[in-house]
């Protein structure tokens, strides 16, 4: 009887001291693009109070955080992401059996190079290539003549760039801005050089466009 009583007391004690372990799946902005992004998140968020484990999924762009609910909560974990310039949100579960988007091959600018990803049309393939100032998908490409004539150039410091994926995202964003004629990114110095047509846009509009990817940049000279 005494042994049984001790076992019951031990079970009650363990139940009272058991931790409330929970899990949350998050998306981030900017999204993860490479192992450097994953390592940055893991190496920083793991030090947040109550965090027990972190699993990143580069394919799904998700971060799964296991935490002790007695010590922290989802809001505090999300605040932790802000310290490393990430905006975290709770991921929306994907519907089971939802069809995946068909991966498009090639592009209207050649094999696999165009930002729009649209396939080259048969009539375009047959027709003799014409000298164009823009990509056939409508996206702006560098026009040396315009850049030379206008002479408008601005440089920004984008400290949030940490990998090739980040650099590509910045270039894709800015080349879609009306009036931008060329974009050059130096990942080592984190400098983004933008050539633009001052009759179509200005430095303030270009700088403001970085907000679309949650980047805060400053103009440099």
């Amino acid at each position: 009887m005494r042994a049984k009583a001790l076992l019951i007391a031990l079970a009650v004690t363990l139940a009272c001291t058991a931790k409330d372990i929970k899990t949350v799946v998050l998306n981030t902005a900017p999204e993860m693009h490479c192992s450097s992004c994953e390592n940055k998140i893991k190496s920083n968020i793991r030090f947040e109070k109550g965090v027990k484990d972190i699993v990143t999924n580069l394919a799904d762009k998700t971060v799964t955080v296991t935490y002790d609910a007695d010590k922290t909560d989802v809001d505090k974990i999300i605040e932790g992401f802000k310290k490393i310039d990430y905006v975290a949100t709770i991921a929306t579960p994907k519907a089971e059996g939802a069809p995946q988007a068909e991966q498009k091959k090639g592009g209207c600018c050649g094999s696999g190079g165009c930002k729009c990803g649209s396939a080259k049309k048969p009539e375009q393939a047959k027709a003799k290539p014409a000298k164009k100032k823009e990509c056939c998908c409508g996206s702006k490409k560098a026009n040396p003549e315009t850049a030379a004539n206008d002479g408008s150039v601005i440089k920004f410091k984008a400290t949030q760039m940490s990998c090739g994926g980040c650099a590509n995202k910045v270039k894709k964003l800015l080349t879609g801005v009306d009036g931008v004629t060329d974009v050059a990114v130096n990942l080592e110095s984190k400098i983004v050089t933008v050539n633009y047509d001052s009759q179509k846009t200005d430095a303030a509009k270009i700088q403001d466009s970085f907000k679309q990817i949650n980047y805060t940049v400053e103009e440099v000279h």
Side-chain angles (χ1 to χ4, degrees):
M1 291 292 294
R2 186 176 180 182
K4 186 175 181 180
L6 288 172
L7 288 173
I8 293 174
L10 181 60
V12 171
T13 302
L14 289 173
C16 293
T17 58
K19 294 181 179 179
D20 185 9
I21 304 299
K22 294 184 179 181
T23 301
V24 63
V25 181
L26 303 169
N27 291 130
T28 63
E31 293 181 334
M32 296 182 295
H33 290 278
C34 63
S35 58
S36 295
C37 300
E38 291 182 292
N39 292 335
K40 180 180 180 181
I41 289 173
K42 287 181 177 179
S43 60
N44 286 275
I45 301 303
R46 69 188 179 92
F47 289 112
E48 290 296 314
K49 183 178 179 181
V51 171
K52 312 302 277 184
D53 189 30
I54 305 171
V55 177
T56 53
N57 188 318
L58 198 56
D60 292 339
K61 312 294 185 187
T62 58
V63 181
T64 302
V65 182
T66 302
Y67 63 97
D68 185 347
D70 292 328
K71 296 182 179 180
T72 189
D73 55 36
V74 175
D75 290 337
K76 291 177 182 178
I77 294 171
I78 289 176
E79 284 296 319
F81 277 85
K82 292 181 180 179
K83 297 176 185 177
I84 53 174
D85 299 319
Y86 277 93
V87 176
T89 54
I90 298 176
T92 303
K94 294 182 180 179
E96 293 185 6
Q100 294 183 348
E102 182 181 354
Q103 186 174 5
K104 297 177 180 180
K105 298 180 180 179
C108 58
C109 304
S111 56
C114 184
K115 295 189 296 295
C116 67
S118 57
K120 185 181 287 186
K121 298 179 181 179
E123 57 268 25
Q124 290 177 321
K126 295 178 182 179
K128 185 177 180 181
K131 191 173 182 180
K132 298 181 179 180
K133 293 183 179 180
E134 291 187 355
C135 172
C136 54
C137 65
S139 57
K140 309 289 188 298
K141 299 193 81 174
N143 182 353
E145 294 180 0
T146 302
N149 293 336
D150 184 72
S152 298
V153 181
I154 189 170
K155 294 182 179 181
F156 297 102
K157 182 84 169 183
T159 57
Q160 288 164 293
M161 289 194 305
S162 60
C163 63
C166 300
N168 290 336
K169 180 169 63 175
V170 169
K171 291 190 71 172
K172 183 176 180 180
L173 168 74
L174 296 180
T175 51
V177 176
D178 185 36
V180 170
T181 57
D182 191 25
V183 181
V185 177
N186 187 318
L187 190 56
E188 184 177 354
S189 64
K190 301 186 184 299
I191 298 296
V192 182
T193 304
V194 184
N195 287 60
Y196 65 97
D197 184 343
S198 60
Q199 295 181 351
K200 295 182 178 180
T201 190
D202 55 37
K205 290 179 181 178
I206 296 172
Q207 184 171 3
D208 192 58
S209 68
F210 280 91
K211 294 179 181 179
Q212 297 177 34
I213 55 174
N214 298 308
Y215 270 42
T216 301
V217 300
E218 59 180 11
E219 184 178 350
V220 294
H221 301 283

